[in-house]
Amino acid sequence: MQSGIYVGISSQIALERRLTTIADNIANMNTVGFRGTEVKFDQVMSQTRNDLKADIAFVTQGNDYLSTRNGEMIQTGNSFDFAVKGDGWFAINTPAGQVMTRDGRFSMAVTGELVSTQGYPVLDAGGAPIQLNPAAGEPTVGSDGRIVQNGTTVAQLGLFTADASKGFVRYENSGIIFSQAPQPVVNDSSVGVMQGYVEQSNVNAINQMTQLIQVNRAFEGISSMMKSTEDSFSQAVRTLGGGQ
């Protein structure tokens, strides 16, 4: 009977973690460039023996992973708005170091530096801040990220790929810091830049709300099961102890 309680607790811990990721996804459903978090749970077989010699399966706390589904591309017409086509990332330089983002709402500082909405420098493929000519007007950016002003190539937007399965942490809203160092995109036509567009969050609000309801119901069901198990255990103890 006690095994049932332990299994229930492991399930509740897993559901609580899933609830946290769902809440975060819903909170960022309107965040430009945001990619939702999902959780993968594994089953662990206990080595503990029991009277029935039956296997006892526990649920792990789960591993987070990023949804790779692309968000909707919205045309803005702003020459300093950019979206990543394919599974790539822009890089910005922050107080926490190099951060990957799909939020391409950039602007040009008075000094000519290309910066993010938070004022962080946007980086090229070599990890250096991108410097434009503030007197040369708005840039034209090709699908490969090449930045042209007055017919002259002045810089190139850095595009990177990264393996989120190795681990990651979020930075501010849509920023991601990957555990494994991102790599510059080289000769990959599936990854590119779309000027005058931004990518919306890839969170499906209806899907997340449905999952939220399912998780809440599962949590309530496990709580009811654990209470029933505990009541049965208490009754067995009273019976075996000769109590009433």
Side-chain angles (χ1 to χ4, degrees), residues 1-241:
M1 294 182 185
Q2 287 179 312
S3 297
I5 295 176
Y6 297 148
V7 171
I9 291 174
S10 75
S11 298
Q12 286 187 325
I13 292 173
L15 288 171
E16 183 179 18
R17 180 165 185 175
R18 185 68 190 110
L19 191 63
T20 299
T21 61
I22 292 174
D24 185 56
N25 288 342
I26 293 175
N28 287 282
M29 57 184 291
N30 293 318
T31 300
V32 174
F34 182 85
R35 284 203 160 180
T37 305
E38 303 292 339
V39 182
K40 178 182 179 182
F41 298 105
D42 295 317
Q43 178 176 281
V44 177
M45 304 303 294
S46 172
Q47 300 301 315
T48 304
R49 304 298 298 174
N50 56 65
D51 293 338
L52 297 178
K53 296 182 180 180
D55 291 329
I56 303 174
F58 293 88
V59 181
T60 64
Q61 292 186 15
N63 296 312
D64 293 349
Y65 68 94
L66 284 178
S67 169
T68 57
R69 184 177 59 254
N70 289 336
E72 182 183 1
M73 298 297 181
I74 302 296
Q75 186 173 13
T76 66
N78 186 338
S79 60
F80 284 100
D81 282 343
F82 305 98
V84 179
K85 180 189 71 173
D87 193 18
W89 301 82
F90 297 121
I92 55 178
N93 189 31
T94 75
Q98 190 180 84
V99 172
M100 299 294 114
T101 182
R102 289 179 68 91
D103 182 356
R105 295 174 298 167
F106 303 146
S107 61
M108 182 169 58
V110 293
T111 57
E113 193 173 38
L114 190 65
V115 297
S116 69
T117 54
Q118 294 83 13
Y120 301 136
V122 181
L123 307 179
D124 61 19
I130 293 175
Q131 184 68 38
L132 305 179
N133 182 355
E138 296 182 346
T140 299
V141 180
S143 61
D144 60 353
R146 190 164 50 95
I147 304 175
V148 177
Q149 286 182 296
N150 287 340
T152 301
T153 299
V154 294
Q156 183 155 357
L157 275 172
L159 290 172
F160 298 81
T161 57
D163 186 359
S165 68
K166 303 300 181 182
F168 67 93
V169 294
R170 291 194 179 275
Y171 183 81
E172 294 184 351
N173 292 330
S174 59
I176 301 289
I177 300 175
F178 293 97
S179 298
Q180 188 176 76
Q183 298 299 314
V185 173
V186 178
N187 297 325
D188 186 351
S189 59
S190 67
V191 180
V193 177
M194 299 172 61
Q195 185 177 21
Y197 288 80
V198 293
E199 180 186 11
Q200 298 294 86
S201 169
N202 72 348
V203 172
N204 184 312
I206 296 177
N207 176 268
Q208 292 298 305
M209 291 301 296
T210 300
Q211 289 190 44
L212 180 61
I213 294 172
Q214 292 173 340
V215 169
N216 281 326
R217 287 178 176 173
F219 199 95
E220 292 171 358
I222 293 171
S223 296
S224 178
M225 179 272 293
M226 290 174 62
K227 186 178 185 307
S228 176
T229 300
E230 185 178 3
D231 290 344
S232 297
F233 183 72
S234 298
Q235 181 62 43
V237 171
R238 286 195 297 270
T239 300
L240 293 174

